[in-house]
Amino acid sequence: MASDEYGEPAKYDPSFKGPIKKRSCTDIICCVLFMVFLLGYMVVGILAWLYGDPRQVIYPRNSTGMYCGIGENQGKPNVLYYDLLKCITGTNILAAAMNGLQCPTTQVCVANCPADFKWAKPGSTPADVYLQEYCQPSINLTNTALTVAEIAARELCPVFLVPSASFFNRCFPGSNLSFPSNFAINGLSVNQSKDSISKAAGQILDSFNFQNVGKKIFEDFAKSWPWIITALVIAMVVSLLFLILLRFTAGILVWVLIVGVIGVIGYGIYHCYMEYDTLNKQGETVANVGFTFNLGVYFRVKETWLAILIVLAVIEAILLLVLLFLRKRILIAIALIKEASKAIGHIMSSLFYPLVTFVLLIVCVAYWGMTALYLATSGAPLYRISTVNTSVPGCENITGNETCNPMTFSNASTSCKEARCIFYRYNNEGLFQTNLFNLQIYNVIGFLWCINFVIALGQCVLAGTFASYYWAFHKPKDIPFFPVAESFMRTLRYHTGSLAFGALILTIVQLIRIILEYLDHKLKGAQNPCTRFLLCCLKCCFWCLEKFIKFLNRNAYIMIAVYGKNFCVSAKNAFKLLMRNIVRVVVLDKVTDLLIFFGKLIVVGGVGVLAFFFFSGRIPIPNPAFQSPALNYYWIPILTVVIGSYMISHGFFSVYNMCVDTLFLCFLEDLERNDGSPEKPYYMSKSLMSILNKKNRPPKSEEKTKKK
């Protein structure tokens, strides 16, 4: 490959001794833009906090819009619907309540949900039918002059009561209700009343059955959390031991994995041939089957197994040719992997830096989530005058558009005695409310930009840390005392703008992908195949573009950490350096991916299997104190352990992967800059020099001394 196409190799610089100390700030314009954006993001958060009210999601409201469980309704956390049958529609009642949509019946805050049946019976008095604790404060059942029918018409008390349970602080009928034989409501017959309530209860319980599951899951976590933490600690120890052992076993492990892959593919070829031979003797061909959507049928014809055999044979041949012609590059990859383990062994503090990244990511996610929640609940509540029956004298003029104040409203102020002031919706007018969608978009952009910046910061800090190891001529004597802290401060001081620039490019691509996913979701019902094909192609192209930009950014951050240049120059130099050594890049990348996959498989698979046998009670433990607790769903702690183990192993191996990539770029620079002479000595390890048949030549005075 011509050097002109991808630039000239790096020249020897006598002043270069590792990550440059004297450097200047890079990409200042992008740094200022990022700071201004963060200030705007903080303003959005403050405005959301001032105008938002997350209590809308946490607490239910009564008909006047007051929250249940706090303020004047302290001690009354549940909301009771007077006529629940009016709430049962084709929509989910919980979703309606959560979004501020009010059920067309009176709602009051109560301390406890009803436990008995109550309904109007012929000749009964209000005190016999209703309970004061469930009625509105404006009526006193002991001395009221109103009849049962008048109270029900004005909805001053519940039309009926049935045994209910609290679901998300809302009183809903329980399942398997045993109705009294004479239960009848709203002019319905006994059977109609029972069927209506049962249907309502069934519809609600279909939506809320998961609450009991949630309680059981919470109980399982409460019982098993010490063992979950123990399993995660084991995962951390195994990950650390695996990285340390790679220093001594990387070569053997890589060759075992390569031979294992070749062996598995070889067995696949053998199995396909045996299946093909059997079906060939039976005369089963694809012509006998024809076209069918039952894919299992195609595995009973010889052509399918012949096609798989050919594909596997081609893959096997390619792998064998790669091993034959690229064995030296595989040895270089193994040596770099060993060197990475040695570097981590000298700089153990680097293994704990992912905790810093994790904490910063948690802060970003929490800020985004809280801002989105406060923005979604912005706006003051609006109230309107409503009546159950407009045919009542004095209520004909009420249209439902009249506004009111629940704190000062009284039906005595209107000609309609059944008028009520109920919560309508949240105000969506005004400069802030009309721009809520734009602010949510700003929130999403800020979230993606901050997340990508935090990841870029972690990559650049680790790159600077491991570059200081590689360019230390006498290891470990020349390694800085606090390489991680030094690299962290250097990166923040000089290269915030460059990291923000790279993160912004990635954010723009991710935003385009989000828009494409949104359009794809909206056009799912479209029958135009051309539109569907175009969207699919765009999604695929931008997915590939995102992967490429992540790869380019990663290597650009390494060059920034070493040389202190701006983002564009660093990205260009990194790309050209990699393209000048493209075969080495591919081999190292695949060998490292294979090792990291195997490491994650050992950690996650081993700890997951151990958790399965422990929590399922299949490991006999004589001491009751160390036995698995009795669980409702033993797969809950197992799943938690598997996910947690993967996150822990990913954190450890991400450091290792960054170490390998950094050492590899430094190794390529070392090869181009130096020639092993006393003036231009190699910084690479002796194992790498032996593979490349290179060595550092001593000064002439030392050579003469050795000869004598």
Side-chain angles (χ1 to χ4, degrees), residues 198-472:
S198 298
K199 183 178 179 181
Q203 183 175 343
I204 293 167
L205 288 172
D206 285 343
S207 301
F208 299 106
N209 270 338
F210 65 86
Q211 194 203 37
N212 289 331
V213 176
K215 287 182 177 178
K216 291 180 179 179
I217 290 175
F218 183 78
E219 291 174 359
D220 289 345
F221 275 121
K223 292 179 181 177
S224 59
W225 70 266
W227 300 109
I228 292 176
I229 292 176
T230 303
L232 296 181
V233 170
I234 293 174
M236 183 177 68
V237 173
V238 173
S239 299
L240 183 59
L241 288 176
F242 184 83
L243 292 181
I244 294 174
L245 290 175
L246 277 180
R247 178 177 176 180
F248 309 101
T249 61
I252 299 174
L253 193 56
V254 167
W255 287 115
V256 167
L257 290 175
I258 291 174
V259 172
V261 170
I262 293 175
V264 169
I265 296 176
Y267 174 77
I269 294 173
Y270 167 77
H271 180 76
C272 290
Y273 174 77
M274 296 303 295
E275 291 288 340
Y276 170 78
D277 186 57
T278 302
L279 294 172
N280 187 40
K281 292 177 181 177
Q282 296 175 357
E284 295 291 340
T285 64
V286 72
N288 300 334
V289 175
F291 179 77
T292 177
F293 288 102
N294 185 5
L295 299 180
V297 174
Y298 289 108
F299 286 96
R300 295 195 289 269
V301 297
K302 65 178 183 179
E303 286 83 359
T304 301
W305 293 103
L306 179 61
I308 299 174
L309 186 150
I310 293 172
V311 171
L312 291 178
V314 170
I315 295 174
E316 186 86 339
I318 292 174
L319 286 178
L320 291 174
L321 289 174
V322 166
L323 281 179
L324 182 63
F325 292 103
L326 301 180
R327 61 187 184 278
K328 189 173 182 179
R329 289 178 172 83
I330 294 175
L331 292 175
I332 293 174
I334 294 172
L336 281 169
I337 289 169
K338 288 181 179 180
E339 195 66 19
S341 299
K342 192 184 297 184
I344 292 174
H346 286 301
I347 312 175
M348 293 294 291
S349 57
S350 62
L351 290 174
F352 299 98
Y353 185 81
L355 294 177
V356 178
T357 302
F358 180 74
V359 171
L360 293 176
L361 291 177
I362 290 294
V363 171
C364 293
V365 172
Y367 185 83
W368 166 77
M370 293 301 294
T371 303
L373 176 63
Y374 273 85
L375 286 174
T377 56
S378 298
L382 300 178
Y383 302 90
R384 287 187 177 181
I385 299 175
S386 176
T387 181
V388 178
N389 190 357
T390 56
S391 62
V392 176
C395 300
E396 302 91 346
N397 297 326
I398 296 179
T399 62
N401 294 323
E402 298 86 355
T403 60
C404 58
N405 187 342
M407 304 302 295
T408 59
F409 177 80
S410 173
N411 54 16
S413 60
T414 66
S415 58
C416 179
K417 302 302 178 185
E418 296 184 5
R420 294 174 289 116
C421 184
I422 67 169
F423 169 75
Y424 168 56
R425 61 177 174 83
Y426 293 99
N427 183 24
N428 57 4
E429 299 175 356
L431 180 63
F432 179 75
Q433 282 74 23
T434 53
N435 287 281
L436 282 178
F437 179 76
N438 297 331
L439 293 176
Q440 288 284 22
I441 295 295
Y442 193 98
N443 186 29
V444 172
I445 295 174
F447 170 69
L448 292 176
W449 199 356
C450 290
I451 288 289
N452 291 325
F453 177 82
V454 169
I455 295 173
L457 176 64
Q459 292 176 344
C460 196
V461 168
L462 291 175
T465 301
F466 295 120
S468 65
Y469 167 83
Y470 185 92
W471 296 108

Side-chain angles (χ1 to χ4, degrees), residues 568-646:
C568 292
V569 172
S570 300
K572 180 191 70 174
N573 292 340
F575 180 74
K576 288 183 175 181
L577 178 63
L578 294 173
M579 291 304 296
R580 290 197 297 268
N581 301 272
I582 187 63
V583 178
R584 286 173 176 166
V585 172
V586 174
V587 172
L588 178 71
D589 185 59
K590 296 310 169 189
V591 171
T592 307
D593 287 346
L594 184 64
L595 261 183
I596 289 178
F597 171 76
F598 183 70
K600 289 181 179 179
L601 189 65
I602 288 178
V603 175
V604 178
V607 176
V609 169
L610 181 65
F612 170 76
F613 280 101
F614 177 76
F615 288 111
S616 61
R618 302 190 182 189
I619 298 179
I621 301 176
N623 191 341
F626 297 101
Q627 290 179 353
S628 171
L631 303 173
N632 298 298
Y633 308 107
Y634 69 85
W635 51 268
I636 290 295
I638 296 174
L639 187 62
T640 306
V641 167
V642 169
I643 295 175
S645 300
Y646 176 80

